Amino acid sequence: MAALFLAPMAVLVGGLVLVPIARSIVTSTTERHGQESVFVGLDNYLHLVDDGQFHTGVVNSFVFTAYAEIFKVVLGLAAALLLHQRRRGRAVLAGLLLVPWVVPTVVTAFSWRALLDPIFGSVNTLLTATGIGPLLASAHLVDSWPAGWLSDPELAMPSVILVNVWKGVPFFTVCFLAGLKAIPADLYEAATIDGASPWQRFANVTLPGLRHVITVTVTLSSIWTFNNFDLVWLLTQGGPGDVTAPYVLVAYSKAILQLQYGAGAAVTLVMLPVIGGLVFVLVRLLRQDTGIRLPRRRGAARWLGTRRWAPTARRALPWVVTAVVTGLLLWASPQIFWKAAVVLGVILLVAAAVGRVVSALNSRGGRRSSSVVSGLGSWVALAGLLFFVLGPLYWIAVTAFKSEGQVVMRTDDLWPTPWTMEQFSALFANQPFGRWYLNTILVSAASTAVALVCAALAGYALARLRFRGAQGFTVTVLLTYVMPGALLFIPLYQMLIGARLTDSLWSLVVTYPTFTLPFATWLLVGYFSSIPVELEEAALVDGCTRLQAFGRVVLPLAKPGLLAVALFTLTNAWNEFLFAFVFITKDEYKTLPVGMQSMIAGDVVPQGQLAAASLLVSIPVVVMYALGQRFLTEGLTAGAVKG
């Protein structure tokens, strides 16, 4: 029975993840000479030792990931604390903050690329009007004003990091907010009675309570950020020069543009130990949540010496990691390091000043004054955060309804006068946008259906059936979930060429389960485990077979979980860029992200049409999340017995 339920999942994961990785290892030992591949052993790896482009890509990936995660943690934690204190409107504010994480990456890249334009961008205009821009230049945070954010080698990487932070902060905020809700209020009350200040309560109650959430969120986000391709490509294509090119872009350049598959595969596999280390940490951290038990190695105990040293090592490890990362950042990017330190210092100083004022008012008995100051500071911080989060999205919305003259002449930036549908008409008249939209719908629906069926069968087997190898299969599912597409796109591209499936929608339908199916299975394992087994046993006693009990009892009760899987897989397929960009070159088979990227020809950027396209691409995703979140809440609060 377990083999029957797991067979579709095993075939897809084995054929689309494990086999391509093995093939990538073989490919990395070959070199293309004409139409043939010749075995060269470890030459591709040895050539990377003196490859300056590869060295730059590795350093860029590390710098990009480290700074992005630091600012995501700081801003995400600040946003979560602000929302946690709100009793009214928390759900609305959280929903608004989640929008940047939901919108497709191509929309994110286009909006910020337009806003950061040195001549026509609204960022320079706003900073000049407020006097902040010249102040940044006088403080040497920028070399000159107006700043060329994406064209200046000194500012390109900080700008890309800024956009990644903008898109990632909502994910951190939601995770930290859930963690804050799980901290017992008794701990804060006890600390307050003992005379602890707000800072002491934060340091001794909040941070320890969020330690697990912070570690898991940062580790998972680091895997995604380290292997990011689409955002960097859409913003800068790795330029100017190679200052923003991550190692994934280096692999793409070697394998796809230069047709040296072996060299490209070697680039991705050299970084596999780094990714493997992050994955190992993540699996260990999630072991308690998923019920996975990994064997402890005796060598680890010997390395620690005795058990009494383990707590000391655990306490010292974060400080050691912080010191090492700080030293590496200072060495790798000294020009960015001090700028980031100044920005973080300003944020922390403002927060500390407000906290000091509130504490001083409390100590003098002015509770009402302290609450007013605290509330005012919270609302100002929330207003600034909402402006940062929603500003680019508002710019897209209003630009989509401007006439071409308003876009070119930059008149009525904040409010179109008059409102017009000119850009939408031009979009469908000048571009095969309708075809791209239909392709995206077909691919997303087909890949979601495949993931839903296979994940439901595999998740039920792993949650309910007892068989040898269940834990190993569950660990494999988790590992394949966090394996990045950077490791797979080269061997999958070779496989699709051999099967003559490139430049067809089937290439996307077949390959999209590589990143949707493992997550769907992992989520459903936990959901099926939460359904009372007594209901299923009662159905079996009444004469149902295992398949009938699964179809008539378990699946109806698992509707919220199935909806969550469908929602996540559908939006991931809707937003996917890397595979579609590599596998599809013909206009008639492009999906929306790749099609929108192809609308930009050199320096010619149809801003109005791209804004209209961005709006049409984003609305379905935002609506799906809004409706799905409501349905999920209703379904999860209804007990299984009631259902």
Side-chain angles (χ1 to χ4, degrees), residues 314-603:
R314 284 197 297 268
R315 287 194 297 268
L317 183 60
W319 296 103
V320 173
V321 172
T322 302
V324 171
V325 171
T326 302
L328 289 175
L329 286 175
L330 182 59
W331 167 77
S333 57
Q335 72 280 5
I336 302 177
F337 183 86
W338 72 271
K339 297 178 182 178
V342 169
V343 174
L344 282 175
V346 170
I347 295 174
L348 295 177
L349 282 176
V350 171
V354 174
R356 177 69 66 179
V357 171
V358 172
S359 299
L361 292 174
N362 272 329
S363 63
R364 296 177 182 178
R367 293 185 178 180
R368 186 173 182 178
S369 300
S370 65
S371 63
V372 170
V373 173
S374 178
L376 181 61
S378 298
W379 277 115
V380 170
L382 272 175
L385 185 63
L386 288 173
F387 177 78
F388 172 67
V389 167
L390 300 179
L393 302 177
Y394 174 80
W395 182 86
I396 289 177
V398 297
T399 303
F401 293 97
K402 292 178 182 179
S403 64
E404 190 63 27
Q406 290 176 336
V407 173
V408 174
M409 300 302 295
R410 298 190 69 250
T411 58
D412 303 312
D413 265 353
L414 300 180
W415 193 260
T417 305
W419 289 65
T420 177
M421 300 293 290
E422 175 184 331
Q423 302 299 339
F424 295 92
S425 301
L427 175 65
F428 284 93
N430 301 333
Q431 306 290 343
F433 188 77
R435 184 63 189 177
W436 297 340
Y437 218 101
L438 180 61
N439 291 340
T440 306
I441 292 174
L442 294 175
V443 171
S444 301
S447 59
T448 299
V450 171
L452 202 58
V453 172
C454 297
L457 294 173
Y460 175 78
L462 295 174
R464 283 288 192 263
L465 304 181
R466 298 293 176 264
F467 58 95
R468 183 176 300 175
Q471 291 184 358
F473 197 93
T474 307
V475 172
T476 302
V477 170
L478 182 60
L479 292 176
T480 54
Y481 165 51
V482 292
M483 280 297 173
L487 294 176
L488 302 175
F489 78 92
I490 295 175
L492 285 175
Y493 181 66
Q494 291 179 286
M495 292 172 61
L496 292 173
I497 289 179
R500 297 184 178 180
L501 285 179
T502 53
D503 279 325
S504 71
L505 297 183
W506 284 109
S507 64
L508 304 182
V509 174
V510 169
T511 55
Y512 277 7
T514 57
F515 58 87
T516 59
L517 187 54
F519 168 78
T521 304
W522 183 33
L523 189 148
L524 287 178
V525 167
Y527 199 88
F528 286 143
S529 299
S530 68
I531 297 175
V533 70
E534 292 81 8
L535 299 176
E536 191 177 351
E537 292 175 348
L540 295 174
V541 171
D542 289 340
C544 286
T545 64
R546 176 68 71 172
L547 285 174
Q548 289 174 333
F550 171 67
R552 297 180 181 180
V553 177
V554 178
L555 285 183
L557 295 175
K559 284 181 181 178
L562 295 173
L563 177 65
V565 167
L567 184 63
F568 280 111
T569 54
L570 188 65
T571 52
N572 282 334
W574 187 275
N575 300 338
E576 201 281 328
F577 178 80
L578 177 59
F579 285 2
F581 180 66
V582 174
F583 302 157
I584 303 295
T585 58
K586 296 181 179 179
D587 279 345
E588 60 265 30
Y589 298 120
K590 288 179 180 179
T591 57
L592 285 170
V594 180
M596 290 177 61
Q597 188 268 342
S598 66
M599 291 171 61
I600 301 174
D603 295 332

Side-chain angles (χ1 to χ4, degrees), residues 88-300:
R88 298 179 181 178
R90 181 192 300 174
V92 175
L93 291 173
L96 291 175
L97 291 178
L98 192 62
V99 173
W101 187 62
V102 173
V103 297
T105 303
V106 65
V107 176
T108 299
F110 158 70
S111 59
W112 278 99
R113 195 170 155 176
L115 289 171
L116 294 174
D117 186 275
I119 299 175
F120 302 106
S122 299
V123 171
N124 277 352
T125 302
L126 179 63
L127 294 180
T128 301
T130 57
I132 298 177
L135 182 63
L136 294 176
S138 61
H140 301 290
L141 291 174
V142 296
D143 293 336
S144 60
W145 193 259
W149 299 101
L150 296 176
S151 58
D152 188 341
E154 297 291 330
L155 296 176
M157 179 60 80
S159 300
V160 174
I161 292 171
L162 170 69
V163 179
N164 184 265
V165 169
W166 178 83
K167 190 168 182 61
V169 163
F171 174 72
F172 278 68
T173 302
V174 172
C175 293
F176 293 165
L177 188 60
L180 288 172
K181 293 178 181 179
I183 299 176
D186 301 348
L187 298 178
Y188 290 103
E189 294 175 0
T192 303
I193 293 173
D194 292 339
S197 64
W199 167 252
Q200 290 173 328
R201 293 196 296 269
F202 173 76
N204 297 292
V205 179
T206 303
L207 284 182
L210 291 176
R211 182 183 293 114
H212 179 75
V213 176
I214 291 175
T215 309
V216 171
T217 305
V218 170
T219 305
L220 187 57
S221 178
S222 297
I223 296 172
W224 296 338
T225 307
F226 191 78
N227 296 281
N228 188 285
F229 172 85
D230 47 0
L231 184 64
V232 177
W233 177 266
L234 291 168
L235 281 172
T236 64
Q237 295 188 2
D242 290 327
V243 296
T244 60
Y247 88 95
V248 183
L249 198 148
V250 175
Y252 167 80
S253 175
K254 291 181 180 295
I256 308 301
L257 299 182
Q258 303 173 21
L259 297 180
Q260 291 296 335
Y261 301 124
V267 170
T268 61
L269 290 173
V270 163
M271 303 311 299
L272 185 58
V274 177
I275 302 169
L278 293 173
V279 170
F280 178 79
V281 171
L282 183 63
V283 171
R284 285 286 184 179
L285 292 170
L286 296 178
R287 182 177 55 187
Q288 297 177 351
D289 298 336
T290 58
I292 301 172
R293 292 186 178 182
L294 299 180
R296 293 185 179 274
R297 304 181 68 177
R298 294 181 180 179

Side-chain angles (χ1 to χ4, degrees), residues 47-106:
H47 291 160
L48 295 179
V49 176
D50 299 322
D51 191 335
Q53 186 184 22
F54 170 71
H55 297 167
T56 302
V58 173
V59 172
N60 288 341
S61 294
F62 168 72
V63 170
F64 176 57
T65 302
Y67 285 114
E69 297 310 307
I70 291 171
F71 280 96
K72 287 177 192 175
V73 170
V74 173
L75 296 179
L77 185 56
L81 291 171
L82 290 172
L83 291 177
H84 187 63
Q85 296 174 358
R86 302 261 73 82
R87 295 183 179 180
R88 298 179 181 178
R90 181 192 300 174
V92 175
L93 291 173
L96 291 175
L97 291 178
L98 192 62
V99 173
W101 187 62
V102 173
V103 297
T105 303
V106 65

